[in-house]
Amino acid sequence: MDRVSGDPATSEAVLAEMRRQHETVTLIASENYASPAVLESAGSILTNKYVDGVPGAREYMGCEHCDTIERLARDRLCALFGTEYANVQPYSGSVANLAVYLSALRPGDRILSHATGDGGHHTHGSPDHISGRLYDAARYGVDPETGLLDYAEIAAIARRVRPHLLICGASAYPRTIDFAIFGEIAEEVGATGLADIAHIAGLIAAGVHPSPAGHQEWITTTTHKTLRGPRGGAIMCLKEDAGAIDAAVAPGIQGGPLMHTIAGKAICFAEARTEEFRHYARQVVTNAQTLAAALETEGLAVFSGGTDNHLLIVDCEGTGLSGHAAEAALFAAGICADHCPVPGTGQEYATAGGIRLGTPAVTTRGMGEGEMQALAGHIATVLARPDDRDTLAGAREEVRSLVTGFLPPESPLKD
Ligand SMILES: *Cc1c(COP(=O)(O)O)cnc(C)c1O
């Protein structure tokens, strides 16, 4: 707690946020709790140093210890995913994607990617993102009946639009992604392949989801979602692309690398090789599948009938609620989730009719199948009576007593 001492105004809000994180439950699929070691590095004196360049070739003096840290992070990331080269400097997953575009594309080139309304990410060519302005973006979706990617259809679109870059990876796709087939499609149409594993990186690292390594020339990720590290991004690629990607990240897009974050990444990549992490990743999937099945038992419609990974989508149509209304009711009960278009329906985020639920954060807190059953019961109760104050207050109290038994790993309240 002394981390935030010195400025009462900020400290108070940080402490209030810590209490919120403890006393409510986050089922936001992209959120997690970083380890004490990661948090410590993120708050370390490394924030004081400018280190523009890459290890061994910096623009400033005094970078030798930072070189050691960045080399550790790079080598550990390559070892974790079995890739030839890595750049660990991207400030975020979005910047990692931009850097790949800058290396692999020229303005006006065509990209083909998972549609945002079907679970894709806006940095893959949405009109409101720079990628959609600089590049000619075509999108593929999921089969509305099964909720699955239809690889024959994607191949047909790829043959028609002939993309320079074929992007796979999503933010709201509850099923396994076949990176090998995406690789074959890219090769057939002469495209470069990018796998954006921002959401599922931790599952891939633990071997509970197939890896894109060897199937896509480029891999981008965040480090703070299932991977459970500091907030940031990273890129993996072939050795022959090393110079191009380093130059694209900086000076192409970024200024000075965030060494305190890179140290946190080095720690996170080591943590991800432990048996404890593999156990966590397996439990993330078990919890998501348990939550999906329990919600269906409660009469809610789970899109695609379940999940293979860390997230699921509830189609709220049967409840009469929009995604935004469902999210607000759950929040009033201490359950944080986010609205999400139901894939295959033509909905966008503004008109979302679903909510996305993910289990990485609750799993890090140590919750298991029993807690998922209990949460499913609370979710169903709230969505059945979203306007009833007593229902919401009762659920909020029960959720609070359920989750305060499972504090996040960094909690000073544990002592
Ligand atoms: C979260 C996400 C990103 C962006 O990550 P930020 O660190 O928030 O910029 C990129 N791609 C996908 C698929 C994501 O889910």
Side-chain angles (χ1 to χ4, degrees):
M1 269 187 277
D2 54 359
R3 244 186 256 127
V4 293
S5 65
D7 173 27
T10 312
S11 289
E12 223 167 88
V14 173
L15 281 176
E17 168 61 10
M18 185 161 69
R19 241 172 273 124
R20 189 196 67 79
Q21 290 190 12
H22 292 165
E23 294 170 5
T24 62
V25 65
T26 182
L27 291 171
I28 293 179
S30 48
E31 292 186 0
N32 215 327
Y33 301 97
S35 72
V38 166
L39 293 180
E40 206 174 293
S41 68
S44 75
I45 50 85
L46 291 168
T47 198
N48 300 338
K49 186 72 192 107
Y50 252 109
V51 291
D52 291 45
V54 290
R58 305 285 194 185
E59 299 293 331
Y60 294 87
M61 302 306 290
C63 295
E64 56 276 17
H65 308 300
C66 293
D67 281 2
T68 304
I69 295 168
E70 187 166 343
R71 284 200 179 98
L72 262 182
R74 276 196 326 205
D75 294 349
R76 286 174 179 177
L77 184 60
C78 287
L80 190 59
F81 290 97
T83 57
E84 289 181 12
Y85 187 73
N87 183 302
V88 295
Q89 295 182 351
Y91 299 153
S92 71
S94 303
V95 176
N97 285 340
L98 279 180
V100 170
Y101 305 156
L102 191 59
S103 317
L105 299 172
R106 276 184 300 214
D109 278 357
R110 184 163 295 163
I111 60 185
L112 175 60
S113 63
H114 195 132
T116 312
D118 274 16
H121 197 260
H122 70 280
T123 59
H124 297 174
S126 284
D128 56 0
H129 185 256
I130 187 172
S131 57
R133 301 193 187 183
L134 282 184
Y135 310 106
D136 177 15
R139 316 300 288 270
Y140 56 82
V142 300
D143 179 325
E145 293 304 314
T146 60
L148 301 176
L149 288 167
D150 178 345
Y151 297 99
E153 172 70 12
I154 295 165
I157 299 171
R159 283 180 206 119
R160 201 169 61 239
V161 307
R162 294 266 151 193
H164 295 89
L165 184 69
L166 175 59
I167 307 177
C168 53
S171 306
Y173 183 65
R175 296 302 186 178
T176 301
I177 295 174
D178 193 329
F179 294 116
I181 294 186
F182 269 109
E184 286 165 20
I185 297 172
E187 183 164 353
E188 188 199 318
V189 302
T192 303
L194 162 62
D196 178 347
I197 60 170
H199 260 264
I200 55 175
L203 307 184
I204 293 170
V208 303
H209 186 291
S211 172
H215 299 299
Q216 269 74 36
E217 184 171 346
W218 303 96
I219 301 172
T220 55
T221 186
T222 62
T223 48
H224 50 275
K225 296 182 182 176
T226 52
L227 203 48
R228 212 165 65 177
R231 188 155 290 259
I235 301 162
M236 289 162 273
C237 61
L238 304 171
K239 263 212 177 82
E240 67 193 51
D241 295 323
I245 200 64
D246 288 346
V249 171
I253 297 171
Q254 296 190 161
L258 312 179
M259 267 324 299
H260 52 302
T261 305
I262 291 173
K265 290 172 186 173
I267 293 166
C268 146
F269 302 150
E271 289 175 349
R273 299 199 80 179
T274 61
E275 187 47 43
E276 188 275 333
F277 188 89
R278 282 190 281 274
H279 173 78
Y280 141 83
R282 284 193 294 270
Q283 190 65 42
V284 164
V285 177
T286 303
N287 280 349
Q289 290 172 339
T290 305
L291 184 61
L295 289 168
E296 287 208 311
T297 304
E298 296 281 355
L300 289 164
V302 175
F303 175 72
S304 173
T307 178
D308 302 325
N309 59 26
H310 63 300
L311 67 84
L312 58 107
I313 296 164
V314 175
D315 183 343
C316 297
E317 193 181 7
T319 68
L321 298 171
S322 68
H324 287 87
E327 158 191 270
L330 291 172
F331 187 66
I335 298 169
C336 238
D338 56 345
H339 63 279
C340 161
V342 178
T345 59
Q347 295 169 3
E348 291 295 336
Y349 273 84
T351 56
I355 47 170
R356 184 183 68 159
L357 304 174
T359 54
V362 290
T363 306
T364 296
R365 288 179 79 155
M367 295 185 210
E369 289 104 298
E371 288 74 34
M372 296 308 109
Q373 306 265 7
L375 285 173
H378 296 312
I379 291 167
T381 303
V382 168
L383 296 186
R385 295 167 168 274
D387 300 319
D388 185 77
R389 280 170 163 243
D390 292 342
T391 299
L392 298 183
R396 187 178 178 91
E397 211 29 66
E398 287 187 44
V399 166
R400 186 186 142 106
S401 74
L402 174 75
V403 304
T404 46
F406 298 90
L407 289 177
E410 92 280 15
S411 178
L413 300 184
K414 251 180 184 165
D415 303 326

